Amino acid sequence: MDYVSALVPPVVMAVFFVGLIRVIVKTQGGANKAKEDAAVDAALARAEGARRAPAGPDA
C-alpha cells in the first residue's frame, strides 16, 4: 500500500495540470480574441510612443 500513497500526489497533480492546459487552450481565441488583440496592440503602441517621446525640454 505504500506504493499507492507514493503515486497518488503525482497522479493528482498530473490530472490538474492536464485540466489547466485544456482550459488555457480552450479559452484562446473565441469571441473576445479581436478585442484582446486590440487592447494589447494599443498598450504596445502607447509604450512605443512613450519610448520615442522626447525626455526633456532640451531634447
Side-chain angles (χ1 to χ4, degrees), residues 16-51:
F16 280 119
F17 182 72
V18 168
L20 175 68
I21 296 301
R22 290 187 66 189
V23 167
I24 290 172
V25 169
K26 281 186 174 186
T27 57
Q28 297 300 309
N32 291 329
K33 182 173 180 8
K35 191 163 98 175
E36 292 171 358
D37 288 346
V40 169
D41 290 340
L44 290 174
R46 280 193 306 270
E48 183 71 21
R51 190 170 60 108

